Amino acid sequence: MHSFLAQLFQNLSSIGVDLTGLTIDHIAYRAESIEEGDELKAEWLTKYSLVVSTQIKGREVCMFESHPPLKYESWDIPCIELMFPKPSRPFGGWDHIEVVLGPYSDRIEDIRERVRERFPHISETASEYSYDEDDFHSFDGKTKNPAVTLRFPDKTAIRFHTVDAREVIAM
């Protein structure tokens, strides 16, 4: 986890993205196989509290809360997301962090505007990363939690959304 976060923060620094003052609500791990997902889920159930296990886009996704939060440098990361494999993305390993740019909104236009206000140099056509908007990221299939994702060539990624994932789950 630490090497993934070090690489991601190096990538963010290289494009001028400073997360100071923001909250990382979780880090996500993508299982390479259903077997790996099942093994990690069983292991993490002994270490962390399961917040939710649900189906998202045809695969299981689990959110765990860590007590105490995971630490990386000055960051406290309260949750870990376990994503089972998706056929369109056979990659396994640490995948992304999610950062909150509140307050809550269910409109992709609002999160896009908040990203542009906080990081005006982020571009939808940059060569250093891919830019993607997901206007219906959801844990229950109903509550919208739009996100803007920056994915780097080394497979590290950051997703910006408007509210802590635990709050979305509680909605």
Side-chain angles (χ1 to χ4, degrees):
M1 178 185 79
H2 286 336
S3 60
F4 166 82
L5 290 170
Q7 184 62 47
L8 177 59
F9 275 86
Q10 182 179 344
N11 290 339
L12 293 172
S13 178
S14 74
I15 63 167
V17 171
D18 179 2
L19 301 180
T20 301
L22 298 175
T23 300
I24 300 172
D25 71 332
H26 72 272
I27 184 169
Y29 186 91
R30 181 183 305 276
E32 191 166 3
S33 66
I34 291 173
E35 294 78 22
E36 181 189 24
D38 287 339
E39 289 172 11
L40 285 173
K41 183 178 179 182
E43 177 187 337
W44 291 1
L45 282 168
T46 67
K47 297 179 179 180
Y48 311 118
S49 302
L50 181 65
V51 178
V52 70
S53 177
T54 189
Q55 292 290 313
I56 299 177
K57 297 181 181 176
R59 58 152 172 188
E60 186 175 5
V61 175
C62 303
M63 183 67 72
F64 295 88
E65 190 166 12
S66 177
H67 302 285
L70 302 173
K71 294 288 283 178
Y72 176 74
E73 296 185 355
S74 64
W75 300 96
D76 287 334
I77 305 172
C79 293
I80 308 168
E81 182 179 37
L82 173 60
M83 302 177 297
F84 279 66
K86 181 166 45 170
S88 65
R89 225 177 244 184
F91 160 77
W94 292 107
D95 187 75
H96 68 270
I97 62 171
E98 293 202 17
V99 174
V100 178
L101 295 176
Y104 176 70
S105 172
D106 65 358
R107 295 170 17 96
I108 190 66
E109 296 83 6
D110 293 337
I111 190 65
R112 182 186 311 124
E113 184 60 30
R114 289 178 198 166
V115 168
R116 286 181 180 155
E117 286 173 3
R118 176 78 189 226
F119 309 107
H121 53 283
I122 286 180
S123 168
E124 296 175 21
T125 59
S127 61
E128 301 92 345
Y129 53 85
S130 65
Y131 175 100
D132 185 49
E133 294 181 356
D134 181 357
D135 66 347
F136 196 78
H137 189 66
S138 174
F139 281 98
D140 63 6
K142 296 176 274 193
T143 308
K144 288 176 144 186
N145 186 26
V148 167
T149 303
L150 306 181
R151 185 165 300 278
F152 296 90
D154 61 10
K155 295 188 169 68
T156 60
I158 184 169
R159 292 177 57 97
F160 296 100
H161 58 151
T162 63
V163 69
D164 187 301
R166 292 169 295 177
E167 291 179 48
V168 173
I169 292 164
M171 288 182 206

